[in-house]
């Protein structure tokens, strides 16, 4: 339990930093005079943490979990200081990149360490705890950030990381001292790591720029995509020729690993996108304020760890994972279709559908991770775990970027149908302001027209999202079923 406590602290640090900043972005942009770069304060952390996740997994297999996780915590600690002391928006964005480089290791290495100390048969239960930490971070992050910014300063959302990081480092160093320190001979593939990091960064930044409404035809944006894809092609060539690749491509030939990574990608594609789009729909179509929209997302946030807890318990009892993944992958697209047609003013019915979606996603998270760990040799558990974490984070980054880009296009098209919105004012901003307008006679008709156009856009978007989710059950149907192993060598040696 001491080990699990330290790992939960590390995961909490990495997960909390993804949500605590969003609510105070306007105040940060106002003080640092950087409204144009405001979105990059969030995107910089997300892109950096996604890129380094598989690299941390490989390094922890080679060098040992304790040293690699300690490095990630120290880097996160130092980057948090840099964030708190930033005087300009570019300084803050660079510090957030460094913080993401540490945050990616906090999550992936902690989950791999759980695989070292918990038998496979019981691992689903502990992965349920991990999902619970994610849910707590998702709910508590905006609240904590709002209170700290209101009563102290936005800089305290970074200062608060320091005591938590020091406590996590102390517990991890003490609790993991008996774990193997990575004794096998190794040669780190630095070229592969650089190609992978550079290529994926280019692609993710390209998608992020699209999600922020920038045109794909500009030379800078298109150049990012071309350079990123070229680096990824070179990365594949590099990994096939080296003896000890950074990411073993042969692992992706294992059907269980490939299918589980794709299904986890789709889970977070939907989860992160819905976490962003649903509150926006509640505001634009339902006419509620930002705080109420955030509260209405709670049923989705709470049901995910509950579904993960159920999944972990059932895996411990039955030793099987495929039925859980199949049930979750079948229910998720149905729930998204239901969200498309449920009136956002119907609070109770919307909450019930969100609970159904959250349970479906929760069933797949621990079962996909444990199935992947069960399908690879013990010495590759770290990189396999990092691949699942990478798939989840990549799904979230791609989901937000792609669906936000589609939503912007749909809203612009819908706004063009309203004659008096086709002037010089930006159509999206005009639609948002009119949808949130009061109920006086002069504005109620405009608000009603805008909300109707926006509802058509959101409904179309949700149906497209559900169509993407339909890929998962077809893949899971081909997933090989294997009984979970009763123990791991490390766990058995610690009994």
């Amino acid at each position: 339990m001491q080990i699990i406590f330290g790992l939960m602290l590390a995961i909490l640090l990495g997960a909390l930093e993804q949500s605590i900043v969003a609510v105070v972005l306007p105040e940060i942009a106002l003080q640092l005079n950087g409204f144009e770069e405001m979105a990059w304060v969030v995107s910089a952390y997300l892109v950096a943490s996604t890129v380094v996740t598989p690299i941390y997994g490989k390094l922890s297999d080679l060098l040992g979990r304790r040293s690699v996780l300690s490095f990630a915590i120290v880097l996160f600690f130092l980057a948090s200081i840099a964030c708190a002391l930033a005087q300009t928006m570019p300084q803050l964005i660079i510090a957030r990149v460094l913080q993401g480089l540490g945050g990616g290791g906090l999550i992936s290495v902690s989950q791999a360490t759980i695989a070292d100390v918990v038998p496979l048969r019981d691992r689903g239960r502990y992965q349920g705890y991990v999902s619970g930490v994610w849910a707590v971070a998702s709910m508590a992050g905006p609240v904590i950030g709002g209170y700290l910014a209101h009563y102290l300063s936005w800089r305290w959302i970074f200062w608060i990381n320091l005591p938590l990081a020091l406590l996590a480092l102390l517990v991890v160093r003490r609790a993991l001292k008996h774990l193997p320190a990575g004794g096998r001979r190794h040669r780190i593939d630095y070229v592969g790591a650089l190609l992978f990091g550079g290529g994926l960064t280019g692609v993710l930044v390209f998608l992020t720029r699209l999600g922020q409404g920038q045109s794909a035809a500009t030379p800078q944006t298109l150049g990012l995509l071309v350079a990123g894809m070229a680096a990824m092609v070179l990365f594949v060539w590099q990994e096939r020729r080296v003896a000890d690749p950074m990411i073993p491509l042969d692992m992706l030939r294992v059907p269980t690993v490939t299918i589980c990574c794709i299904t986890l990608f789709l889970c977070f594609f939907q989860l992160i996108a819905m976490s962003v789009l649903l509150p926006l729909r509640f505001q634009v179509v339902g006419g509620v304020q930002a705080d109420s929209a955030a509260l209405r997302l709670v049923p989705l946030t709470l049901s995910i760890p509950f579904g993960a807890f159920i999944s972990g318990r059932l895996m411990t009892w039955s030793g099987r994972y495929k039925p859980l993944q199949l049930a979750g992958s079948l229910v998720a697209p149905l729930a998204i279709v239901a969200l498309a047609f449920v009136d956002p003013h119907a609070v109770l019915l919307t909450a019930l559908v969100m609970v159904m979606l959250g349970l479906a996603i929760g069933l797949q998270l621990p079962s996909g991770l444990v199935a992947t760990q069960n399908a690879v040799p013990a010495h590759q558990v770290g990189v396999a775990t990092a691949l699942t974490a990478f798939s989840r984070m990549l799904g979230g980054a791609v989901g937000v970027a792609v669906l936000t880009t589609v939503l912007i296009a749909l809203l612009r098209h819908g706004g063009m149908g309203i004659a008096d919105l086709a002037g010089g004012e930006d159509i999206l901003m005009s639609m948002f302001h009119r949808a949130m307008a009061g109920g006086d006679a002069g504005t109620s008709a405009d608000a009603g027209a805008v909300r109707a156009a926006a509802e058509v856009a959101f409904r179309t978007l949700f149906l497209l999202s559900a169509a993407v989710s339909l890929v998962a059950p077809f893949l899971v149907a081909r997933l090989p079923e294997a009984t979970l192993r009763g123990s791991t060598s490390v766990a058995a040696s610690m009994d």
Side-chain angles (χ1 to χ4, degrees):
M1 292 308 300
Q2 185 183 16
I3 293 174
I4 297 300
F5 174 72
L7 299 178
M8 292 300 102
L9 268 179
I11 292 173
L12 178 64
L13 279 172
L16 191 64
E17 209 56 38
Q18 295 182 3
S19 60
I20 196 173
V21 176
V23 72
V24 296
L25 280 180
E27 182 176 345
I28 294 175
L30 182 64
Q31 288 195 16
L32 300 184
N33 193 25
F35 279 96
E36 293 184 357
E37 300 92 359
M38 183 174 63
W40 285 104
V41 177
V42 175
S43 299
Y45 181 90
L46 184 62
V47 170
S49 58
T50 302
V51 166
V52 298
T53 296
I55 298 174
Y56 270 112
K58 179 66 174 182
L59 292 178
S60 71
D61 278 342
L62 296 176
L63 306 177
R65 314 281 189 234
R66 184 172 180 249
S67 59
V68 175
L69 182 55
S70 298
F71 171 81
I73 295 175
V74 171
L75 178 58
F76 185 88
F77 177 90
L78 296 176
S80 295
I81 296 176
C83 289
L85 296 177
Q87 299 300 313
T88 65
M89 189 63 82
Q91 289 179 9
L92 179 59
I93 292 172
I94 292 173
R96 286 285 287 173
V97 170
L98 295 175
Q99 200 178 35
L101 295 179
L106 295 179
I107 296 169
S108 61
V109 181
S110 295
Q111 290 184 325
T113 307
I114 293 176
D116 287 339
V117 299
V118 178
L120 267 165
R121 189 71 175 258
D122 297 329
R123 204 170 294 165
R125 178 158 51 97
Y126 287 90
Q127 295 303 330
Y129 299 156
V130 173
S131 299
V133 170
W134 276 96
V136 169
S138 300
M139 288 190 301
V143 177
I144 294 173
Y147 274 96
L148 289 175
H150 180 73
Y151 290 104
L152 295 173
S153 164
W154 62 265
R155 298 182 187 276
W156 278 91
I157 66 176
F158 301 112
W159 288 127
I160 197 176
N161 290 331
L162 304 189
L164 293 176
L166 286 175
L167 180 60
L169 181 62
L170 177 64
V171 175
V172 164
R173 295 294 298 175
R174 179 177 299 175
L176 301 186
K177 62 183 178 180
H178 297 300
L179 282 185
R184 68 189 184 94
R185 299 181 62 182
H186 56 268
R187 180 177 296 174
I188 298 176
D189 179 19
Y190 295 105
V191 175
L194 289 174
L195 288 172
F196 177 81
L200 189 61
T201 298
V203 174
L204 286 179
V205 172
F206 167 79
L207 292 173
T208 303
R209 288 169 69 96
L210 290 185
Q212 294 170 358
Q214 300 186 31
S215 172
T218 60
Q220 297 89 343
T221 304
L222 192 60
L224 284 170
L225 177 63
V226 173
M229 295 299 295
M232 293 304 293
V233 170
L234 290 175
F235 165 74
V236 173
W237 173 78
Q238 169 72 8
E239 298 305 274
R240 286 180 173 175
R241 60 181 288 273
V242 296
D244 196 1
M246 179 60 63
I247 300 178
L249 299 181
D250 289 343
M251 184 180 294
L252 296 177
R253 297 177 183 174
V254 180
T256 300
V257 174
T258 302
I259 292 174
C260 289
C261 285
I262 294 175
T263 55
L264 289 172
F265 173 93
L266 293 172
C267 279
F268 267 68
F269 182 97
Q270 306 298 347
L271 171 59
I272 304 299
M274 291 299 157
S275 298
V276 173
L277 297 175
L278 282 172
L280 186 60
R281 185 193 191 195
F282 295 148
Q283 293 180 72
V284 177
V285 180
V288 303
Q289 298 299 316
D291 54 348
S292 299
L295 287 176
R296 289 187 60 180
L297 197 64
V298 169
L300 175 64
T301 307
L302 286 181
S303 58
I304 291 171
F306 186 68
F309 175 80
I310 294 173
S311 178
R313 288 289 182 180
L314 290 176
M315 276 194 295
T316 300
W317 171 71
S318 67
R320 302 181 64 195
Y321 50 81
K322 184 174 180 177
L324 301 169
Q325 287 193 284
L326 189 58
S329 63
L330 286 171
V331 172
L334 297 177
I336 297 173
V337 170
L339 281 175
F341 291 99
V342 170
D343 187 345
H345 296 91
V347 177
L348 181 59
L349 185 57
T350 303
L352 290 175
V353 176
M354 285 193 294
V355 167
M356 184 170 66
L357 176 60
L359 290 174
I361 292 175
L363 286 176
Q364 298 176 74
L365 297 183
S367 57
L369 174 58
V370 173
T372 301
Q373 293 174 343
N374 191 59
V376 300
H379 69 274
Q380 290 186 334
V381 164
V383 69
T385 303
L387 274 179
T388 61
F390 166 74
S391 300
R392 298 182 350 171
M393 300 175 77
L394 182 64
V398 173
V400 169
V402 171
L403 293 183
T404 303
T405 302
V406 174
L407 177 63
I408 289 173
L410 292 172
L411 287 175
R412 287 189 184 277
H413 183 267
M416 290 294 186
I418 303 174
D420 59 345
L421 287 182
E425 184 181 5
D426 182 80
I427 291 178
L428 296 179
M429 289 302 297
S430 180
M431 290 182 72
F432 184 79
H433 287 307
R434 295 196 187 197
M436 298 300 293
D440 50 324
T443 60
S444 58
D446 286 343
V450 170
R451 289 174 183 171
E455 175 61 3
V456 173
F458 277 102
R459 181 171 297 164
T460 303
L461 183 72
F462 283 9
L463 291 176
L464 290 174
S465 180
V468 173
S469 289
L470 284 175
V471 175
F474 290 101
L475 291 175
V476 174
R478 302 171 61 87
L479 182 67
E481 179 74 282
T483 302
L484 297 178
R485 300 191 294 268
S487 63
T488 63
S489 58
V490 176
S493 67
M494 295 181 67
D495 289 342

